[in-house]
Amino acid sequence: MNDLNILIPTYNRKERLKQTLECLQNQTKQDYIIVIVDNCSSYCVKNLVDEFQYDFKRKIKLVERPYNIGSSANITMILLEATTKWCWLLGDDDYPLPEAVATIYKNMNDDICAMHFSVLDLSRYVEKDYKVYNLGGLIELYEKWLHDKKPIVNLQGDLIFMSNKVYNMEYIRPFIVNAIEYSYSKIGQLIPIFKCLEFGKGTFLISNMKIVESLLAANDHWNIKKIIYGMSSFTHISFDRLDKRERIRLNDVVMFRYTYVLKNYILDGHNDWYYVNSIYHTIYKQFLNPVHCIIYRMVSLLMEVRVTRIMMKKLILIIERKRHFNVQ
C-alpha cells in the first residue's frame, strides 16, 4: 500500500528534475506516489514526464500553476497536495539515494510528527537517531551542538534544508496554514514542525542516515542575501508557549552564524549598508554577546570603504584556500 507522497516543487530545472525522477525510478522500494507542482516553467514538464515508462509514469501526478507564485510559496503550498499520511518534500535538484524510500518506511512510527535525515555527518552527536519531544528540547539540543568546541560547519544549513524532511500529515496538517502564512521567511517548511513541538504534538526524529545527495553548491537560485533577508522575518512568528529568552534562543538556533553571513557577503562583492544594518537589528542584535555585536558593527563599517572591502575579500580567500588545503 502506498503510504508516501513525494512532493516535488519545480521551476525551470528540466535536466535536474529528470535526474531526480530517474533516482526515484531506481528506488529499491517502489511504494510511493509522486506529486510534481510546476511553478509555470518555460518548458513543458508534462512532456518530460511522458518520457518515462508507463509503470513509473503512472505514479506521477502533475499540477501546473497558471502563473509563477514564487519559490517559497510553491514550496509550502505543495503541502496542500498531500493525499497520504506521510510526505517527503523533495527539491527538484536533490538526488535520492537508492535506499531512500526504504529508509523512510523503516522509520515510520505513529508517534513521529516529522523526520530529519541529515545531509551532514552528525555521527559526533547522533549514533543512529534521536527523538525530540518539544520545542524547548530542540533548542537545547541544537544549542549544545552549535556551541561545541569544534562545531560542525553549516549545522543550521542542515536544519533548514528542505529535502531531508519527511512529514506525518496527521500531525502537520493543522499547521500548514502557518507554513503558508510565513512562507516569505524562506524556511516555511520548518514552521509546522516547530508548531507541532510547541504544542507537544508528536516527536521529531533526527537521524544520521542520509536519504539524499544535495546539489546545494550548484543551485543557481541560491542567493545568500535573499535567504538571510527572508530568514530575518522568522522573528515575526509568534511561539506563545516560549518565554522571551527561549524565543531569542530559537532565533540563535535557526539563523546562520553572523560570521558566515558577513564572509559570504564580502566574497560576493556586495556594498549595501542597508542590508547588513537591517539584518543586524532584526536578527543578530537580539542574541549576540556585546563583543560579537561590536565585531559585527566594525566589520559592517569597514565594508563601506572600498579599499578595506577588497583587503577583507583577499584575506578571506587566503584563509579559505589554507583551510581547503588542510582538509585535503
Side-chain angles (χ1 to χ4, degrees):
M1 178 180 177
N2 292 325
D3 204 21
L4 177 68
N5 274 162
I6 302 177
L7 307 177
I8 306 178
T10 189
Y11 174 69
N12 277 351
R13 286 187 178 143
K14 182 177 181 180
E15 294 305 318
R16 295 181 191 175
L17 176 60
K18 181 179 180 181
Q19 191 165 344
T20 298
L21 292 175
E22 288 172 349
C23 290
L24 292 174
Q25 188 177 32
N26 295 325
Q27 289 294 299
T28 58
K29 188 175 182 66
Q30 289 289 317
D31 294 337
Y32 58 81
I33 296 295
I34 300 169
V35 181
I36 301 173
V37 178
D38 173 37
N39 202 15
C40 200
S41 295
S42 59
Y43 74 97
C44 182
V45 178
K46 184 178 184 301
N47 287 346
L48 173 64
V49 172
D50 286 340
E51 294 179 13
F52 288 88
Q53 295 178 349
Y54 174 76
D55 286 345
F56 178 69
K57 187 170 60 176
R58 68 186 179 87
K59 294 175 175 287
I60 302 174
K61 173 187 175 184
L62 175 62
V63 178
E64 297 176 295
R65 299 206 185 281
Y67 46 83
N68 191 299
I69 63 171
S71 60
S72 297
N74 197 42
I75 288 169
T76 52
M77 289 184 69
I78 197 173
L79 292 170
L80 297 174
E81 304 295 334
T83 58
T84 55
K85 179 177 178 178
W86 295 91
C87 292
W88 178 14
L89 186 53
L90 177 63
D92 59 358
D93 62 344
D94 294 316
Y95 301 152
L97 299 177
E99 298 280 344
V101 172
T103 299
I104 291 170
Y105 269 91
K106 286 178 184 177
N107 284 277
M108 287 179 179
N109 194 299
D110 286 343
D111 74 331
I112 293 174
C113 68
M115 308 178 199
H116 169 100
F117 296 94
S118 183
V119 176
L120 304 175
D121 181 7
L122 297 180
S123 57
R124 285 171 54 190
Y125 307 134
V126 180
E127 289 185 8
K128 185 180 179 182
D129 53 45
Y130 189 96
K131 284 188 176 182
V132 177
Y133 297 92
N134 52 61
L135 193 50
L138 181 71
I139 294 169
E140 289 180 10
L141 181 68
Y142 271 87
E143 272 194 331
K144 179 181 177 182
W145 292 353
L146 287 166
H147 298 291
D148 189 30
K149 290 182 179 179
K150 293 183 179 180
I152 296 174
V153 176
N154 202 20
L155 190 60
Q156 274 115 340
D158 185 77
L159 176 63
I160 70 174
F161 186 59
M162 181 183 78
S163 297
N164 58 351
K165 304 292 188 299
V166 179
Y167 304 89
N168 183 339
M169 297 307 293
E170 290 183 357
Y171 289 102
I172 293 294
R173 189 167 283 110
F175 302 108
I176 293 177
V177 60
N178 303 104
I180 295 173
E181 183 176 8
Y182 295 105
S183 61
Y184 61 87
S185 68
K186 301 296 182 183
I187 51 174
Q189 71 276 4
L190 270 182
I191 296 170
I193 298 174
F194 289 165
K195 284 293 182 180
C196 279
L197 292 177
E198 180 188 13
F199 289 97
K201 304 291 186 180
T203 60
F204 183 39
L205 175 70
I206 301 174
S207 174
N208 194 38
M209 299 184 72
K210 293 180 66 174
I211 60 173
V212 69
E213 291 289 348
S214 171
L215 276 184
L216 185 61
N219 190 333
D220 51 7
H221 289 199
W222 173 255
N223 182 313
I224 185 65
K225 183 177 178 180
K226 185 183 292 186
I227 296 296
I228 295 300
Y229 254 142
M231 288 179 66
S232 68
S233 61
F234 178 70
T235 58
H236 301 172
I237 306 167
S238 63
F239 294 94
D240 296 333
R241 298 197 176 191
L242 297 181
D243 61 31
K244 180 180 178 181
R245 178 57 187 158
E246 287 176 320
R247 184 64 180 84
I248 292 172
R249 289 168 62 203
L250 180 61
N251 292 347
D252 186 23
V253 164
V254 172
M255 304 299 176
F256 288 115
R257 303 289 87 184
Y258 80 95
T259 50
Y260 174 81
V261 173
L262 291 176
K263 182 190 76 172
N264 281 276
Y265 190 68
I266 293 169
L267 290 177
D268 287 345
H270 293 295
N271 179 26
D272 185 348
W273 172 85
Y274 182 78
Y275 165 75
V276 292
N277 188 61
S278 62
I279 62 170
Y280 170 75
H281 285 287
T282 54
I283 303 177
Y284 299 108
K285 186 178 179 180
Q286 299 180 55
F287 57 79
L288 289 180
N289 64 44
V291 173
H292 288 167
C293 283
I294 292 171
I295 293 172
Y296 187 105
R297 301 302 288 162
M298 286 181 62
V299 172
S300 63
L301 288 171
L302 288 171
M303 285 169 59
E304 295 184 51
V305 182
R306 183 175 182 274
V307 174
T308 54
R309 192 165 62 246
I310 293 172
M311 290 176 61
M312 284 191 291
K313 183 174 182 178
K314 289 181 178 179
L315 179 61
I316 292 172
L317 289 172
I318 291 171
I319 294 172
E320 290 293 303
R321 288 193 197 102
K322 287 184 177 180
R323 182 179 296 167
H324 181 70
F325 179 78
N326 291 333
V327 170
Q328 289 183 329

